[in-house]
Amino acid sequence: GENVEQHPSTLSVQEGDSAVIKCTYSDSASNYFPWYKQELGKGPQLIIDIRSNVGEKKDQRIAVTLNKTAKHFSLHITETQPEDSAVYFCAASIPQGGSEKLVFGKGTKLTVNP
Amino acid sequence: KAGVTQTPRYLIKTRGQQVTLSCSPISGHRSVSWYQQTPGQGLQFLFEYFSETQRNKGNFPGRFSGRQFSNSRSEMNVSTLELGDSALYLCASSLRPSGSGGELFFGEGSRLTVL
C-alpha cells in the first residue's frame, strides 16, 4: 500500500507547551521521511527529515522519531511559539516501478495560542 | 537565487474546459513534481518529471497530464474540467528525485476554480 496516515488533523496548544504529530505508513520499503511546514498563502517548506537507518533526529526545538518496526514516525515541537502556527505535513518515500515517489499525509493544522 | 515560479496564480474555468499550468523550477534543478492540494485530502501526488522523463505518477485519471522541457520547465494540463478539480496545484523542484531524499522546494501554487 501507499497510505500515509497523519494524526491529529488539528492541534491547539498554549505557547510554551509541546506539540506532537504522528504518522504511520504502510510500505515497509519506505526509507525517507520528511516533514514540511506550510504557512498561510505559501508553499510547504522542509523543516526536518529522517532516514530509515536513524531512530531520532533533532534540530533545535524540533525533533523527529522513527519506529521502523511499528511503521510510524512523529514530529515533536518543544517550547512552541505563535510563529509555529501552520499546517504540518509528514511524508514517506514509496517505491514505485523501480524508483520512488513521495506520498504526503493529509496534514495537521497547529495553532499556538499566546 | 530565484525560487519556484508558478503561473498563473489564480484562474477560473468552467466545466468541460481545459487548463494548462506552468512551473519554472529553481535553476539547476532537474526534478519537478506536481501535487493537488484540497482541504480534505491534503497533498496528493500527481506526477514527477526528471530530465524530461516522467518517473512516477499518482492515482489520477488520464485527464491529468504533464510534460517537462529541456530547460526543466514543466507544464501540467487538465482536460474536460470537473467541479472536483477545483484545488491549489503545487509544483516543487529538487536537485534529486523526490523519493530519494531530495528536498522539495515548492512554489506558491496555482489556484484553480472550476464553475
Side-chain angles (χ1 to χ4, degrees), chain B residues 46-57:
Chain B
L46 282 156
F47 26 66
E48 178 179 9
Y49 289 87
F50 186 83
S51 296
E52 301 179 67
T53 301
Q54 186 180 86
R55 293 187 74 248
N56 290 301
K57 67 190 306 281

Side-chain angles (χ1 to χ4, degrees), chain B residues 11-17 81-87 112-115:
Chain B
L11 65 167
I12 299 173
K13 294 285 187 178
T14 57
R15 278 181 299 175
Q17 287 187 309
L81 284 166
E82 300 177 359
L83 296 179
D85 297 333
S86 295
L112 170 65
T113 301
V114 182
L115 302 176

Side-chain angles (χ1 to χ4, degrees), chain A residues 23-72:
Chain A
C23 288
T24 60
Y25 59 99
S26 53
D27 196 321
S28 57
S30 296
N31 59 18
Y32 175 63
F33 309 92
W35 286 87
Y36 282 79
K37 174 184 180 182
Q38 185 177 29
E39 298 176 342
L40 200 60
K42 297 184 179 180
Q45 280 189 299
L46 178 71
I47 55 171
I48 195 167
D49 58 10
I50 192 168
R51 296 185 181 276
S52 59
N53 57 348
V54 175
E56 184 176 4
K57 184 176 178 180
K58 286 185 180 179
D59 183 3
Q60 299 183 346
R61 297 185 296 108
I62 294 173
V64 56
T65 59
L66 171 65
N67 184 326
K68 282 218 73 179
T69 303
K71 288 190 272 188
H72 67 69

Side-chain angles (χ1 to χ4, degrees), chain B residues 5-45:
Chain B
T5 303
Q6 292 189 244
T7 57
R9 291 292 314 280
Y10 302 91
L11 65 167
I12 299 173
K13 294 285 187 178
T14 57
R15 278 181 299 175
Q17 287 187 309
Q18 73 164 12
V19 66
T20 299
L21 308 178
S22 179
C23 173
S24 293
I26 291 172
S27 178
H29 286 191
R30 295 161 61 191
S31 175
V32 173
S33 302
W34 288 90
Y35 292 86
Q36 181 194 66
Q37 184 173 20
T38 55
Q41 298 300 318
L43 291 167
Q44 290 193 286
F45 175 75

Side-chain angles (χ1 to χ4, degrees), chain A residues 2 31-32 36 38 41-46 49 51 87 89 93-107, chain B residues 9 35 37 39-43 45 48 55-59 88 90 96-108:
Chain A
E2 54 176 68
N31 59 18
Y32 175 63
Y36 282 79
Q38 185 177 29
K42 297 184 179 180
Q45 280 189 299
L46 178 71
D49 58 10
R51 296 185 181 276
V87 179
F89 293 95
S93 62
I94 306 291
Q96 182 186 59
S99 61
E100 293 170 309
K101 64 182 181 183
L102 210 54
V103 175
F104 284 82
K106 293 187 178 181
Chain B
R9 291 292 314 280
Y35 292 86
Q37 184 173 20
Q41 298 300 318
L43 291 167
F45 175 75
E48 178 179 9
R55 293 187 74 248
N56 290 301
K57 67 190 306 281
N59 300 321
L88 180 68
L90 288 164
R96 292 151 44 192
S98 62
S100 66
E103 177 180 355
L104 300 183
F105 293 85
F106 283 86
E108 294 188 322

